[in-house]
Amino acid sequence: MSSIEGMFKALEAGSKHVLIKRFTLFYPEQKLKFVGDGYQFDPKEGVGIAGYRGRHILFHDKCTGCQLCSIMCEGIAEAISMVKIDKEYKQNKKGIMPQIDYGKCVFCGLCVDACPFYALFMTDDYELSAYTKEHLIYTPDQLSIKPNYKGEYVIDINEFGATHKKDIK
Amino acid sequence: MSDIERLNSMLPNSLSVEESREKGILTLSVGPQHPGSGHFRLIIKVDGDIIVDAEPDPGYVHRGEEKMCEYRNFMQNIPHLERPVIADSCSILYPYCLAIEELLNIEAPRRAKFIRVIMSEINKMIFELYWLGIYGIFLGHSTMFMWPMADRELLIDLAELASGARVTHAYFVPGGVRNDLPDIFKDRAVRQLKYFRNRLNEYSKVFYENPLFIDRTKGVGILSREDAINLGVTGPVLRGSNVPYDIRKVEPYDVYDELNFDVKYMKDGDCFARAYVPYLEMYESVDLILQALEKMPDGPVRAKLPPNPKGKVGEVFKRVEAGRGELAYYVISDGTQKPYRVKLSVPSFRAIPAMRKLLIGARLADMPAIYWGLNYWPVEADR
């Protein structure tokens, strides 16, 4: 093939994309939709439930302070430390619950796999930036709050190419 | 003759300082802050614009992965082992899981094996697209930087759907995978992969048939079949030099023996062949995933394991085909909850002798094409 022909072929392939919609996602205005409510783990079955692995959610009424998540994290990121809590819970005699440092967490979710009491799951909230390192440390109270992440956009493929669109369902 | 002596005899001697001064040879240090290469330094000596000597200098990002493995139990090793290649994180974890499964005497369920094949192929494509994008910008072709980076999103979306993370998935575990695929996965995967296959045809038009790319790579850095075998390169580099050798065919693991695919290879052994083999393999990967999605049975995805299992005394050697070539793990267990020794044999490290061989005698302008064509990943090579 001559080089002139090759050049025109390349130009033709490229110029088609002037008319096609862009694939770019305009992030803060448009957010991606994830499946489920975040990664969860079912200790009875021994398998996880698919979902995005963002920041954790801690259920105070289920956590027993057994430290299994903290022990798991010791060899991974050392992000979880057990801290005293003010409130008293029947199932939590020691009164300790995990506190997670998101400056260290790698979001592997193995702490969720380690929890046998359905107390620690992950959510699809990934917007965790903070001005200081101290603000990245989430106390048990902060972890118990359900995040309000609203992702609506999914990849849409039609005859004109791929783009992002709002999921109607 | 020992292996190292044989290797040295094949490579030209390096020049001494006095010799280079006499001949008017300039020494250049490429890296370690080179924007494309990552943390890796190449000390090259040039005579005019001909490279007369090249000294690869790896080791800037050595993290001691192998030693770290000895202090963590089988499960805790998972997140840090995928850090060397975050773009191909399932493939680097794959042989580890196969090895630990043998040490723990468990077998992954059949559905998990299919899921692992699917995720490994998706990751391989994610890596190859990233590599292709950087190759494009190395050769001054910015369209080929944008396109693969955008189409990578289609595959990252699938990986995220299955594992819940965009890059470091931590998805494979000894005994299967962490979670089952969501219900919408199959539909989305078929739709996005078919679209992706059409996009690959466009890559050919804009990049592989582009005279600019052909002029930069055809006949540049020819690695002969004999040299490729003797210098120990693996993966697309080896297959680019007329050696149809693929671990998926030679030593099938999981369910690769039940799926139909060809080993793609090229005869020329030049930079173009090394760039074209991954491109052909992406077609194969798409077909493999579509086949696996069809054949995948229902059932459990993770074998039951005690919380902190103990391995049997023994040693295992397992290898898989990753995006860059053959990736092997050698694990010794002394019967405790932690491995006694983990040794990684990574494809990038094996490209270093070939890099020196190819760079000597080449022009300075061909250095990016040769360097990146070898599929060298500094972080993985240093481990």
Side-chain angles (χ1 to χ4, degrees):
Chain A
M1 190 177 59
S2 72
S3 49
I4 300 283
E5 197 189 330
M7 261 179 210
F8 273 106
K9 234 179 171 180
L11 277 174
E12 183 233 319
S15 58
K16 235 176 26 193
H17 285 259
V18 176
L19 305 170
I20 293 171
K21 264 195 174 177
R22 282 188 196 178
F23 192 59
T24 319
L25 181 81
F26 296 92
Y27 162 58
E29 289 87 25
Q30 307 178 343
K31 288 175 186 173
L32 276 180
K33 191 184 176 184
F34 304 123
V35 61
D37 293 331
Y39 179 73
Q40 302 181 346
F41 188 75
D42 188 358
K44 251 184 219 151
E45 300 286 325
V47 290
I49 298 154
Y52 191 79
R53 294 209 302 262
R55 104 154 150 78
H56 298 75
I57 185 161
L58 177 72
F59 297 105
H60 282 215
D61 51 337
K62 284 176 185 157
C63 181
T64 60
C66 66
Q67 306 181 27
L68 278 176
C69 48
S70 162
I71 291 165
M72 191 52 154
C73 202
E74 256 169 35
I76 296 168
E78 297 173 16
I80 302 181
S81 52
M82 304 302 288
V83 290
K84 274 252 175 269
I85 45 159
D86 308 332
K87 261 194 188 168
E88 274 193 17
Y89 291 99
K90 201 168 63 192
Q91 84 283 7
N92 200 335
K93 291 268 155 46
K94 290 183 219 155
I96 51 171
M97 275 182 195
Q99 165 184 288
I100 302 177
D101 181 357
Y102 285 106
K104 291 175 177 175
C105 181
V106 296
F107 299 95
C108 64
L110 286 172
C111 49
V112 179
D113 287 18
C115 181
F117 302 109
Y118 302 87
L120 194 65
F121 288 151
M122 292 181 112
T123 61
D124 39 20
D125 179 23
Y126 56 82
E127 291 157 330
L128 297 168
S129 56
Y131 283 106
T132 60
K133 278 184 182 174
E134 288 73 39
H135 283 97
L136 287 170
I137 301 172
Y138 277 54
T139 56
D141 285 336
Q142 279 171 296
L143 285 174
S144 68
I145 300 163
K146 203 171 188 283
N148 56 345
Y149 175 83
K150 240 193 211 160
E152 289 172 323
Y153 283 80
V154 289
I155 291 176
D156 175 41
I157 289 165
N158 53 28
E159 60 267 37
F160 300 114
T163 181
H164 287 93
K165 73 152 189 201
K166 217 174 203 175
D167 196 28
I168 304 149
K169 267 178 275 176
Chain B
M1 211 194 263
S2 75
D3 284 354
I4 293 173
E5 278 170 4
R6 207 187 70 217
L7 198 66
N8 278 334
S9 71
M10 289 174 62
L11 296 166
N13 290 323
S14 59
L15 293 168
S16 68
V17 179
E18 289 79 24
E19 248 181 314
S20 11
R21 258 193 214 138
E22 270 170 33
K23 290 178 180 168
I25 284 167
L26 183 67
T27 307
L28 297 171
S29 181
V30 183
Q33 284 100 4
H34 192 269
S37 72
H39 311 282
F40 171 72
R41 182 163 66 152
L42 258 174
I43 304 163
I44 53 174
K45 293 187 172 134
V46 284
D47 183 3
D49 73 338
I50 306 284
I51 298 171
V52 289
D53 193 12
E55 192 79 54
D57 181 19
Y60 284 91
V61 269
H62 173 62
R63 310 177 186 189
E65 290 285 342
E66 292 170 4
K67 195 70 187 166
M68 274 160 78
C69 287
E70 295 166 19
Y71 295 99
R72 285 157 174 80
N73 68 30
F74 295 129
M75 220 45 127
Q76 286 169 336
N77 273 328
I78 289 169
H80 80 82
L81 270 177
E82 57 183 13
R83 253 69 196 169
V85 204
I86 54 166
D88 195 7
S89 59
C90 280
S91 292
I92 197 166
L93 215 52
Y94 208 154
Y96 174 78
C97 293
L98 293 173
I100 302 302
E101 271 168 21
E102 198 167 311
L103 282 176
L104 297 179
N105 254 332
I106 49 165
E107 212 197 333
R110 209 173 135 69
R111 185 177 168 86
K113 286 180 179 176
F114 275 96
I115 296 177
R116 286 208 290 217
V117 167
I118 291 167
M119 280 299 278
S120 151
E121 292 297 326
I122 288 178
N123 261 265
K124 211 179 290 179
M125 284 194 286
I126 291 175
F127 175 81
E128 275 158 358
L129 285 173
Y130 186 87
W131 172 83
L132 197 57
I134 305 284
Y135 207 168
I137 203 76
F138 260 36
L139 300 180
H141 196 301
S142 49
T143 309
M144 210 49 203
F145 173 66
M146 307 283 183
W147 280 15
M149 288 293 168
D151 290 332
R152 211 167 142 251
E153 176 66 27
L154 294 167
L155 304 168
I156 286 182
D157 184 66
L158 291 179
E160 181 193 285
L161 202 60
S163 68
R166 287 173 66 83
V167 272
T168 46
H169 309 295
Y171 188 54
F172 293 8
V173 282
V177 291
R178 295 267 296 276
N179 55 266
D180 202 350
L181 300 175
D183 301 334
I184 53 169
F185 184 86
K186 193 177 169 183
D187 290 346
R188 261 215 218 179
V190 171
R191 201 171 44 133
Q192 292 184 11
L193 288 170
K194 281 186 175 159
Y195 171 75
F196 176 66
R197 194 160 51 187
N198 293 338
R199 285 286 290 160
L200 280 179
N201 300 335
E202 287 187 45
Y203 285 12
S204 177
K205 277 184 201 155
V206 86
F207 193 57
Y208 287 103
E209 292 171 30
N210 193 327
L212 299 172
F213 178 67
I214 291 171
D215 287 351
R216 291 290 301 270
T217 51
K218 269 262 160 85
V220 172
I222 295 175
L223 187 66
S224 67
R225 189 186 152 95
E226 286 72 34
D227 282 345
I229 294 168
N230 286 332
L231 290 170
V233 293
T234 63
V237 183
L238 185 64
R239 290 193 285 276
S241 297
N242 200 9
V243 188
Y245 183 84
D246 193 317
I247 306 294
R248 291 175 294 178
K249 271 275 191 260
V250 178
E251 224 177 77
Y253 44 95
D254 275 0
V255 288
Y256 274 110
D257 46 350
E258 297 173 29
L259 304 168
N260 291 324
F261 66 100
D262 293 331
V263 178
K264 297 286 181 195
Y265 68 104
M266 295 280 283
K267 292 210 167 75
D268 312 337
D270 56 1
C271 279
F272 184 82
R274 286 196 284 277
Y276 205 59
V277 168
Y279 173 71
L280 294 174
E281 280 177 359
M282 276 193 264
Y283 280 106
E284 287 299 309
S285 291
V286 171
D287 284 348
L288 264 170
I289 296 168
L290 294 178
Q291 274 183 53
L293 279 170
E294 278 307 312
K295 289 190 179 177
M296 191 163 62
D298 284 338
V301 292
R302 191 173 176 177
K304 275 243 172 190
L305 268 180
N308 204 354
K310 279 183 183 172
K312 68 173 182 202
V313 182
E315 46 194 80
V316 200
F317 177 77
K318 289 277 175 193
R319 51 183 185 164
V320 301
E321 187 75 30
R324 300 154 305 290
E326 176 189 329
L327 216 159
Y329 273 64
Y330 177 63
V331 185
I332 305 178
S333 166
D334 57 352
T336 54
Q337 291 143 341
K338 293 167 184 173
Y340 176 75
R341 174 86 171 92
V342 176
K343 168 86 185 116
L344 279 87
S345 165
V346 286
S348 298
F349 193 67
R350 300 210 212 162
I352 293 179
M355 190 188 298
R356 181 145 188 257
K357 168 101 188 165
L358 292 178
L359 282 176
I360 292 174
R363 286 190 184 272
L364 187 58
D366 291 337
M367 196 202 74
I370 292 172
Y371 167 74
W372 199 246
L374 284 171
N375 241 327
Y376 181 75
W377 203 256
V379 193
E380 187 196 44
D382 297 348
R383 304 192 286 287

